[in-house]
Amino acid sequence: MARSRSSASALLAIAAVVAYLCLVPAFVAPSRGPAQAPEVDLRVAAATFAGLSPLAAEQPAAAYDSVVAMLQSWLVGGTVLIIIFAAALVAATANPLTKRRQEVAATMMGDKK
């Protein structure tokens, strides 16, 4: 019995909060005074213009004149990456220090037997 009263009071409280939120004005009305133009800081405008000026000189959308040129660049880049990874793999497997450590570990294991 007490549980139904507490849930009813909680439901009533939630309904009151929802009703309050629905009736409160959502937007603030603008002032009734004369309309003022926003102030523009010329330093900010100049800095923005200076920062965006390289984009006017470059045309990043026209970097590739054709799909063929794009695919060729991808093939060259992929080939270079494969060569770099292959060289790193060879360097890792042909490391003389690693080979010496393996030889010493093998002789130590042979001595323990």
Side-chain angles (χ1 to χ4, degrees), residues 16-71:
V17 169
V18 169
Y20 173 75
L21 291 176
C22 288
L23 297 176
V24 173
F27 298 102
V28 177
S31 63
R32 301 231 181 235
Q36 296 177 351
E39 293 182 21
V40 177
D41 189 8
L42 292 179
R43 292 178 296 171
V44 172
T48 303
F49 180 73
L52 294 176
S53 62
L55 294 177
E58 296 290 328
Q59 296 295 326
Y64 295 106
D65 292 333
S66 68
V67 175
V68 174
M70 181 182 67
L71 292 176

Side-chain angles (χ1 to χ4, degrees), residues 1 3 12 44 48 57 63-65 68 75 82 94 97 99 112:
M1 187 86 168
R3 185 173 181 174
L12 183 63
V44 172
T48 303
Y64 295 106
D65 292 333
V68 174
L75 288 172
I82 289 173
L97 291 176
K99 287 185 175 183
K112 287 184 180 179

Side-chain angles (χ1 to χ4, degrees), residues 55-94:
L55 294 177
E58 296 290 328
Q59 296 295 326
Y64 295 106
D65 292 333
S66 68
V67 175
V68 174
M70 181 182 67
L71 292 176
Q72 286 175 347
S73 70
W74 285 7
L75 288 172
V76 169
T79 305
V80 168
L81 280 176
I82 289 173
I83 291 171
I84 290 172
F85 283 122
L89 182 65
V90 167
T93 56

